[in-house]
Amino acid sequence: AQTVTQSQPEMSVQEAETVTLSCTYDTSESNYYLFWYKQPPSRQMILVIRQEAYKQQNATENRFSVNFQKAAKSFSLKISDSQLGDTAMYFCATVYGGATNKLIFGTGTLLAVQP
Amino acid sequence: GAVVSQHPSRVICKSGTSVKIECRSLDFQATTMFWYRQFPKQSLMLMATSNEGSKATYEQGVEKDKFLINHASLTLSTLTVTSAHPEDSSFYICSAQRAGSSDEQYFGPGTRLTVT
């Protein structure tokens, strides 16, 4: 069975500093994707970054980058130069269900960026 | 591109009535749409997978007769909560997967359902 675990319910960071959100997962899929989604107070889910498991290179998107450790089944998100607009709930997710591409989410980390 | 809309954004209904929520992909065709439920301060839980022109596939524990899903076209899926009860009050979110895409889902803004 697929599981996604986020062990940090809440985190806080000062504006302009760097923060890392943790995620571990387990999957029976041979090839899979991993995602970080952001859910701000508006509740709109926004894709932050994604990683294809067969790619060894860590994905980056501007201030967001991941540390993907496939053997350890770890997929952490690093946010550099944190901004007030980064305040949101962050969900780690992976795909399961073969061709159906269903998403399973972690429990989320509430990130507060302090001015 | 890849915009998904939901209507209504908020709905209040009385216990025992039914309510329909629409999910539309505005600028792409979606062969597959997904419906999620999110309780306050919790994660998204997949309810069902909807494929255009076929019956929806429900996750374990989700009552198919209570949550009716119809995916009549490549741009529209609907979720009808039948005989709603206060415990059905929740935030319902849909997502759409672009035809030919293998991974990314695009999310709607969600619908807040309150059953009184």
Side-chain angles (χ1 to χ4, degrees), chain A residues 2-9 21-26 33-39 45 75 89-96 102-110, chain B residues 36-46 107:
Chain A
Q2 278 66 224
T3 59
V4 178
T5 302
Q6 294 178 249
S7 58
Q8 305 154 312
L21 308 184
S22 301
C23 173
T24 58
Y25 66 94
D26 196 8
Y33 293 89
L34 294 160
F35 305 88
W36 278 98
Y37 281 92
K38 167 184 177 181
Q39 188 179 42
M45 294 289 285
F75 182 61
M89 182 71 85
Y90 287 81
F91 293 101
C92 178
T94 188
V95 174
Y96 72 106
K102 297 188 285 189
L103 282 172
I104 180 170
F105 290 89
T107 51
T109 296
L110 180 59
Chain B
Y36 297 86
R37 186 172 180 176
Q38 186 179 30
F39 289 108
K41 298 185 179 181
Q42 293 190 21
S43 187
L44 281 72
M45 298 298 294
L46 180 65
F107 284 82

Side-chain angles (χ1 to χ4, degrees), chain A residues 42-100:
Chain A
S42 68
R43 308 291 295 272
Q44 172 73 57
M45 294 289 285
I46 301 166
L47 177 64
V48 175
I49 198 167
R50 70 179 181 185
Q51 173 83 40
E52 295 171 83
Y54 68 88
K55 290 187 176 180
Q56 294 186 340
Q57 187 171 8
N58 289 323
T60 62
E61 286 288 341
N62 301 313
R63 299 183 294 109
F64 300 88
S65 62
V66 299
N67 183 2
F68 175 45
Q69 302 290 328
K70 190 172 184 178
K73 296 185 176 178
S74 170
F75 182 61
S76 60
L77 173 70
K78 184 171 83 171
I79 305 174
S80 304
D81 186 25
S82 297
Q83 300 176 359
L84 296 178
D86 295 334
T87 293
M89 182 71 85
Y90 287 81
F91 293 101
C92 178
T94 188
V95 174
Y96 72 106
T100 312

